Structures are given as structure tokens and as C-alpha cells.
Amino acid sequence: MRGYSTGSWAALVVAALAFVPGEAGGQTTVELRDAVDRALARSPQLAQAENALLNAETTRKTAKGSFLPTVSTSAGATIQSSSQFDPTLGQLESSTSNSTRASISANYSLFEGGQRFYDLQRSEADVGAASARLENQRYQVIFQTKGLFFAALATGDLLRVARAREDRAQQGLEIVERQVQLGSGTRSDLLRAQLELANSRQGVLQAEASDRAARFALGRQIGLGEPVSPSVPDGIGPRPLPLGEEEVFVLAEEASPSVEAAALAVESADAGIKSSRTSYIPSVGMSGGYGWNNGEWALADGRTSWSVSFNASYPIFQGFTRSVGVQRARESYRVAQLQEVDARLAARQEADRALQGLRTAEQAIAIALESVGVAEEDLRVITERYRVGVGIILDVLASQIALTEAEAGLVQARFDYEIAWADLESILGREL
């Protein structure tokens, strides 16, 4: 991709309209990196992705815990009263009895057909997928923030364009007024110049409203309830892409967070199939316990007991739940495979779209720069012709409008370029 030298590009920017924000007017000024950091710190979408990762890590911890025995303990004391009829005395006699007890028990599953291993494998894949989705969401927030940041810069430039149009319209009106005074201008020329000035003022009002809305949107993105003035970042404009086209496609298909998440989802679904099949295998477990009890409230002279037992179980019929579980796991695996293939194709498509957007915007910038220069020269010539009485006011107004459109086109082309660059970074999951 063709680039520009620092000196030549700086000259073009100064000559033809750079990303210069409008007057801050006491507003907060923010740099691009600071805006991105603020947006990442307060993004609700990113917080949801972080919570999903935390849940996946919790599930993995539970899967690891299934390899350990379960241990429980209990203790208690009882006071019991009873009444008995004493035939000798011919009356009811009351008595009380006390007892204390304590026990500890443990259970451990010796064999479950490998279900715990498959569940752990699935939870590991789920953690990886959640981490990839978190990274993907992170770059989506960055892309959104950059879009709002450059949109605020662009609206500031468009406001400058609108004010430049107003200045030219005012100058044109003054020229027409002089021509009318000299007798070479007509009443119609004066009215048309006044109309262009009114239209330019209306354009300034609309540009001011758009600029404030864009700055307010940027403020919301970074957690401020006020318009924010973006500062011009270094190194914007057409620049060499550090990767070739094929490298971009390879990264998009293999290393982008969305593709990585889809691939790990396939691993999780595969482990899910294996886990569901273990329901057809018998399970073997063991349990043991140690107990103590005493018929008195005392810790000495109690009776102790212990036990160890082994058990095996195999459900013969469970109402087709096992076969249904395996079938569902297989379908989930098939869907995950299709989603992975589609994610790779989508990443390649999106990368190509961003690349084409970069190339188109770069060419559009070059064309727009040339158009601005041509329009400026045309306006100068047409204005001078009208000043000496060989031109008409309609040509002057048309030339003024053409220059305004060329300047606005340059702003839009530069905005499109920066957005395409940020879009490509979000697709690849890395800064370029």
C-alpha cells in the first residue's frame, strides 16, 4: 500500500484540511489512547464478557474439584426425658437420659467411565472460548470508541468547512455589493449572493448541532455526561500496512478472537459427546466413615465405630435420557463445527472488506486533495472574472459550492480511512 512521507503529508494537511477539532469551548479534551482506556474501563458489554469468563473459570474449578473426595462431619447432643409407671410405688416416675455423638465420612468416585476427565476437558475449552470472546469484545469496544473519536474529529472538520463556506459567501456578497455600486452588478446577483449567505449560515447551524452530538456521544462512551473535544492523534492518514494481503487473511482465519472462540467451542462440544457416552458405563465408588457416641455428656468412655464400603451401579433403563443426551451432544458438535467454518469465512470476508475500504479511502483522499486544489483555483479564477465584469454570479456560487463539497469529501475520505484501519484491527484482534 502506497504511503506518504512525513513532510509531504504534513504539507498536504496544512494546505488542504486536516483533522483539526472545533473550538473546545471549555470542554474536556481527550486523547485517543485515553479515550480507549476509559471506554474499556466502563463498558457494560466488556463487563458481561468478563463475567462470562469468570463463570467459565468457576465451572473449571468445579470440574477439578470432582477429582477430590467429598468429606463431611457432624456432631450433636441429646437430652431426653421419659416417664414410667412404678407398680411398687403406684405412681409415675420421671427420668432423663443424655447422649453425645460425632462422626466424619468421606465419599470418592473411583470410576465413572472417564466423565470427570471429559468434563474437565470441556471446561478448559469453555474457559479458552470465553477468554477469546472477551478479547473479541475488547476490540469491539476499541473499534466503537475509535469510530466515535474520529466521528467527533470529522464533525469538527465539517464545522470548519461550513464556516469556511460562510466566510466565502460573505466575501462574495461584498464583491457583489461593490459591483452593484459600480453598475456592473444586478439586483438578481445581489439576491443570489444573499441567498447563498443565508444557506451557508444554515449549514453552520446544522454542522454545530452535528458536532455537539458527536462530541456528546464520545463523552458518553468514555463515561462523561458532557461533550468531549478529541485531540488530533499522531500518525493519522494514509500509512503503510505492516502486513501483506495474504498475511491478513491468514491472521483473520487462524488468529482472530472470533475464530479462536469458535474453534474452542468445537473442542468443548466434542468433549460433551464423550462425557454423554459415559452414561452407558458402570460407575464405581467407595465411602468410609468414623463415628463416636456416648450415652452420657462426656468425651471419655464413648463407643467408636468405623466403616468402609464399595459400591457399583449401572442404570439399566432411564427412559431414553442417555440416548437423548448423546444425540443432543452430537447435534451441538455439528452446529459448533458449522459455526467454526462460518466464522473463518466471515473473518476472511470482513478482512477483505476492511482492506478494500482502506485502499478505496486512500485513493479517495488523493482524489479529494486534488479536487480541493482544483476547486480553490477555479473559485479564484471565477471570482476574478466576475470582479472584472466578464463572469456571472451563478458561476461564482457554483464554484463556491463545489469547493465546499470537495472539502467535505476530503473529510469523509479521511474519516473512512481511519475507520477502515480500526475495523481491520478489530477483525485481526491486534493493533497494526
Side-chain angles (χ1 to χ4, degrees):
M1 184 174 290
R2 179 174 58 86
Y4 295 90
S5 66
T6 303
S8 62
W9 179 245
L12 289 174
V13 170
V14 172
L17 192 65
F19 264 119
V20 179
E23 296 295 326
Q27 298 174 6
T28 301
T29 301
V30 63
E31 296 182 353
L32 179 58
R33 176 55 58 186
D34 186 33
V36 169
D37 292 341
R38 286 170 177 252
L40 290 174
R42 66 162 301 278
S43 170
Q45 295 84 1
L46 193 61
Q48 290 177 347
E50 291 172 345
N51 184 61
L53 176 58
L54 178 61
N55 291 336
E57 291 174 341
T58 302
T59 301
R60 180 178 61 181
K61 186 176 182 180
T62 302
K64 290 180 178 180
S66 66
F67 288 89
L68 302 175
T70 59
V71 181
S72 61
T73 183
S74 65
T78 304
I79 301 176
Q80 184 176 358
S81 65
S82 61
S83 298
Q84 291 183 332
F85 180 76
D86 188 340
T88 304
L89 300 177
Q91 63 182 11
L92 291 174
E93 293 290 333
S94 298
S95 63
T96 60
S97 60
N98 305 322
S99 65
T100 55
R101 63 190 181 278
S103 66
I104 183 171
S105 62
N107 294 276
Y108 184 70
S109 177
L110 297 175
F111 178 72
E112 293 181 345
Q115 181 179 7
R116 289 175 295 180
F117 292 95
Y118 297 136
D119 288 345
L120 178 60
Q121 180 183 348
R122 181 169 56 181
S123 66
E124 292 282 3
D126 289 341
V127 169
S131 179
R133 284 190 287 268
L134 173 61
E135 188 68 6
N136 182 62
Q137 185 59 55
R138 177 176 174 271
Y139 273 96
Q140 291 302 316
V141 173
I142 293 174
F143 172 62
Q144 184 182 33
T145 304
K146 287 184 176 179
L148 293 172
F149 188 92
F150 287 114
L153 284 174
T155 55
D157 265 353
L158 291 174
L159 176 57
R160 177 184 170 183
V161 169
R163 288 172 175 169
R165 177 188 177 186
E166 182 183 13
D167 293 340
R168 288 192 291 267
Q170 182 64 49
Q171 294 170 5
L173 178 59
E174 293 172 357
I175 293 174
V176 172
E177 290 174 342
R178 286 197 297 269
Q179 295 299 98
V180 171
Q181 292 174 358
L182 295 174
S184 59
T186 66
R187 176 66 175 171
S188 177
D189 291 350
L190 183 61
L191 292 175
R192 287 172 178 174
Q194 290 174 342
L195 178 60
E196 168 59 16
L197 179 59
N199 290 337
S200 66
R201 288 173 176 171
Q202 182 67 27
V204 169
L205 292 177
Q206 294 174 351
E208 287 176 342
S210 298
D211 182 53
R212 183 172 178 82
R215 294 172 189 272
F216 229 116
L218 177 60
R220 175 189 174 185
Q221 181 74 3
I222 65 175
L224 297 177
E226 61 183 23
V228 172
S229 178
S231 62
V232 184
D234 296 330
I236 63 172
R239 48 200 181 271
L241 189 65
L243 300 172
E245 181 175 306
E246 192 57 36
E247 291 178 296
V248 169
F249 288 149
V250 170
L251 282 175
E253 291 185 62
E254 302 297 335
S256 68
S258 59
V259 173
E260 183 181 357
L264 288 169
V266 173
E267 291 186 17
S268 176
D270 181 57
I273 294 178
K274 296 175 181 177
S275 177
S276 64
R277 287 173 178 169
T278 60
S279 60
Y280 288 94
I281 301 175
S283 61
V284 180
M286 66 173 294
S287 61
Y290 181 85
W292 172 87
N293 65 82
N294 196 342
E296 300 292 336
W297 277 21
L299 298 178
D301 300 328
R303 295 185 300 274
T304 61
S305 63
W306 60 270
S307 66
V308 176
S309 64
F310 295 86
N311 59 81
S313 65
Y314 178 75
I316 298 176
F317 181 71
Q318 291 183 321
F320 306 110
T321 56
R322 289 179 294 185
S323 60
V324 170
V326 173
Q327 182 179 359
R328 288 176 176 174
R330 286 174 177 169
E331 279 301 305
S332 297
Y333 178 72
R334 187 179 73 87
V335 171
Q337 283 184 314
L338 294 176
Q339 290 176 336
E340 181 189 7
V341 172
D342 185 68
R344 294 184 185 276
L345 294 175
R348 187 180 183 91
Q349 175 192 358
E350 292 299 303
D352 182 73
R353 177 184 56 79
L355 279 175
Q356 294 304 317
L358 274 175
R359 292 167 178 167
T360 300
E362 183 178 9
Q363 296 174 6
I365 289 173
I367 294 173
L369 284 169
E370 183 178 356
S371 298
V372 169
V374 171
E376 287 177 338
E377 179 62 17
D378 178 68
L379 178 58
R380 187 191 67 79
V381 172
I382 292 297
T383 302
E384 188 62 28
R385 284 173 56 85
Y386 180 78
R387 194 190 309 273
V388 298
V390 296
I392 61 175
I393 191 61
L394 289 178
D395 291 339
V396 176
L397 297 180
S399 184
Q400 288 178 346
I401 293 174
L403 176 56
T404 299
E405 292 176 349
E407 291 176 334
L410 176 57
V411 172
Q412 186 62 49
R414 299 198 67 223
F415 172 76
D416 292 342
Y417 183 88
E418 296 303 327
I419 293 303
W421 189 281
D423 190 16
L424 183 59
E425 289 181 332
S426 69
I427 294 169
L428 301 180
R430 64 181 60 192
E431 293 186 358
L432 299 174

